[in-house]
Amino acid sequence: MNPAASAPRRARVRAPELIGKGGWLNTGDTSYTLADLRGRIVILDFWTFCCINCLHVLDELRELEEKHRDTVVIIGVHSPKFVHEAEHQAVVDAVERYEVHHPVLDDPELATWKQYAVRAWPTLVVIDPEGYIVAQHAGEGHAHAIARLVEELEAEHAAKGTLRRGDGPYVAPAPVATDLRFPGKALVLPSGNVLVSDSTRHQLVELAADGESVVRRIGSGERGFGPEAFSEPQGLALLPDGRVVVADTVNHALRVLDPATGAVETVAGTGRQWWQGSPTAGPAREVDLSSPWDVAWWRGRVWIAMAGVHQLWTWDPQSDTVAVAAGTTNEGLVDGPAAEAWFAQPSGLAAAGDRLWIADSETSALRWVEPVAGEADAYAIRTAVGSGLFDFGHRDGAADQALLQHPLGVTVLPDGSVAVCDTYNHALRRYDPATGEVSTLATDLREPSDAVLVGEDILVVESARHRLTRLRLPEEAVRVESVAHRTQRAATEVAPGTLRLEVVFRAPTGQKLDDRYGPSTRLQVSSTPPELLAGGAGQGTDLFRDLVFAEGVTEGVLHVSAMAASCDDDPENEYPACHMHQQDWGVPVRVAPGGAARLPLVLAGLDA
């Protein structure tokens, strides 16, 4: 048994106060302290809106939020990774975009994040009605455990007289009337009209060729999964037969629209989210997907930017099958053979000849897929711009020095160069493969997420301005002031030599580790640069490990991926319900005398 999993419960810890320079959202301009919330069960959701795992958790919490609305207060603590995410208006937009129906504390300086010693997005912290921390969970898949804990806390504190029921502090903002609301992607139809995924309204909208006049809406406008419903749709691609394939992102599915009839059918996905251990290939409607964000027709198949698991998949309409095409599910930037490459939320695709271009958002990178000469159905991954998870900015010039900030869209231009919707820089950038140079085509766009060519113009989806903007492609680049950033999370100081890594996991009440078919836990560790670790990298089944730092390397990032499976602990139940808990951490470290000799990462429970 892992000692981290069986550690005794620690002394009660009073929850630190909630501090955020950006103030409160969804409360009708009222600010709150933990004292104001005494008597309620408080769940803090540390999130940032670039993070696909955070968006998954928002969806996981919706049912719990509704069921326990009179006893539970969920508070989103927005803790930014990118510079753009520290802008207050960007947080306001994200709260509406993703239909966050609870109070949000805007914490641009990570003050509350530091007070709670959070190390990863997303992290959930449960506070009891008396103001004490009772649980912490990192990553996805914890909604069932938190729901059970909430029921226990309701019973315990109702008996003690310390539970206070009633309406919570959430106040819905006033709706705004616009034709589009946070549109995601666009596509020019054979008719010349423009089809747009109107993501926040869960619809597709067909616009006239002017990009403004609404021709028709497709979908009910209510979040759902059926012939008349979508859930935050994003990518669109034209099939050879004139139909349109749609990345129905939060439904974890591909849908196909027949523009002639308006009929919609599901062609891939089950509506359930893919988890580690699920099939990665097979009949298209029997295999789970995970947040498909964009799609493109290339080399006889539909390629899928599977943002939720940091991979590329394909759907083959002829065989009606899906399969992983590239990526390991590890999050990062690693080139090479497709099966060994790492991505980080690929979110935009554009096909051109022998290259499929990729906007790899979390690494702020422009990358591409190319076939391997002489090898059938073999592909390699290359990077044009970008260096990893923690470096971003707005810098033009040679591609190996240029910087982007969380790009979501990519478009091939008539001259063979590539336009990048540099979303968090509010800019349209250009990469020229012939010269290896990066330039800026346009600025003062608001979160551009896609672009399509219309004659000599380019039509840009300005997502946060709720419109399409027509630009004439400029002959010369715009000059901008160069700026470079690194994520503002402080590096953890660790002692030279050996570091004890412990992933804390406690199975939820009434469950146990599922070891019926072998080890129920998995731990994978690597580093950037790889030379940081002289020992301890690789995969194993224990949730603890000794990591050995190499001499002479003083800074880097530890990449830690942990998974644990737990099942209902009922010997009478032949088919117990089982749940997967998983999280990836990227922990910046600095090796220094006097640094920590132990690094605890909480997957579920509390560190003793």
Side-chain angles (χ1 to χ4, degrees), residues 295-364:
V295 281
W297 179 260
W298 187 57
R299 299 177 69 84
R301 288 176 287 178
V302 171
W303 288 67
I304 309 163
M306 202 72 77
V309 285
H310 318 298
Q311 290 180 312
L312 303 181
W313 287 43
T314 59
W315 168 53
D316 185 342
Q318 266 198 316
S319 63
D320 200 19
T321 57
V322 293
V324 173
T328 64
T329 75
N330 291 320
E331 185 178 11
L333 194 156
V334 176
D335 287 342
E340 300 172 16
W342 292 22
F343 299 94
Q345 286 178 220
S347 301
L349 299 174
D354 63 355
R355 289 188 179 183
L356 177 68
W357 294 96
I358 309 159
D360 200 29
S361 63
E362 278 293 286
T363 54
S364 298

Side-chain angles (χ1 to χ4, degrees), residues 43-118:
I43 301 173
L44 303 182
D45 176 14
F46 289 87
W47 70 299
T48 188
F49 62 79
C50 72
C51 161
I52 191 68
N53 310 92
C54 300
L55 304 186
H56 289 167
V57 167
L58 285 176
D59 290 316
E60 288 178 4
L61 292 176
R62 293 186 198 279
E63 183 179 346
L64 181 145
E65 187 171 28
E66 184 60 36
K67 183 177 179 181
H68 298 276
R69 188 167 292 279
D70 66 333
T71 59
V72 171
V73 175
I74 297 176
I75 295 174
V77 183
H78 189 268
S79 312
K81 171 187 173 181
F82 289 99
V83 169
H84 170 59
E85 293 176 303
E87 296 176 14
H88 182 69
Q89 184 58 47
V91 182
V92 173
D93 289 343
V95 167
E96 181 188 351
R97 179 194 298 267
Y98 298 116
E99 298 184 311
V100 179
H101 292 164
H102 51 250
V104 172
L105 176 65
D106 181 10
D107 183 17
E109 297 176 346
L110 302 183
T112 297
W113 167 288
K114 293 169 186 172
Q115 286 290 311
Y116 281 81
V118 175

Side-chain angles (χ1 to χ4, degrees), residues 170-401:
Y170 171 68
V171 177
V176 182
T178 53
D179 286 337
L180 302 173
R181 206 69 192 162
F182 298 104
K185 305 288 185 181
L187 173 71
V188 178
L189 296 169
S191 66
N193 287 352
V194 181
L195 188 67
V196 183
S197 54
D198 197 20
S199 302
T200 296
R201 293 211 175 116
H202 315 297
Q203 289 181 317
L204 306 181
V205 177
E206 184 177 344
L207 303 176
D210 61 9
E212 297 179 11
S213 307
V214 175
V215 175
R216 62 173 168 167
R217 297 180 181 275
I218 300 159
S220 66
E222 298 293 326
R223 185 190 296 272
F225 188 34
E228 299 294 327
F230 299 94
S231 188
E232 297 181 31
Q234 286 284 343
L236 307 165
L238 196 64
L239 295 173
D241 63 7
R243 296 183 303 158
V244 176
V245 61
V246 182
D248 196 2
T249 303
V250 179
N251 278 328
H252 311 294
L254 296 190
R255 320 291 293 283
V256 164
L257 163 72
D258 184 342
T261 65
V264 176
E265 63 173 319
T266 300
V267 296
T270 63
R272 298 183 300 269
Q273 184 183 339
W274 185 94
W275 288 95
Q276 290 286 354
S278 300
T280 56
R285 285 176 293 280
E286 298 176 16
V287 177
D288 299 338
L289 308 181
S290 182
S291 297
W293 206 274
D294 203 6
V295 281
W297 179 260
W298 187 57
R299 299 177 69 84
R301 288 176 287 178
V302 171
W303 288 67
I304 309 163
M306 202 72 77
V309 285
H310 318 298
Q311 290 180 312
L312 303 181
W313 287 43
T314 59
W315 168 53
D316 185 342
Q318 266 198 316
S319 63
D320 200 19
T321 57
V322 293
V324 173
T328 64
T329 75
N330 291 320
E331 185 178 11
L333 194 156
V334 176
D335 287 342
E340 300 172 16
W342 292 22
F343 299 94
Q345 286 178 220
S347 301
L349 299 174
D354 63 355
R355 289 188 179 183
L356 177 68
W357 294 96
I358 309 159
D360 200 29
S361 63
E362 278 293 286
T363 54
S364 298
L366 173 65
R367 307 174 73 183
W368 79 87
V369 187
E370 63 184 16
V372 176
E375 297 185 36
D377 212 26
Y379 297 91
I381 311 302
R382 306 283 182 249
T383 297
V385 183
S387 60
L389 287 165
F390 301 100
D391 293 287
F392 55 90
H394 192 153
R395 180 193 289 155
D396 287 334
D400 61 353
Q401 299 294 316

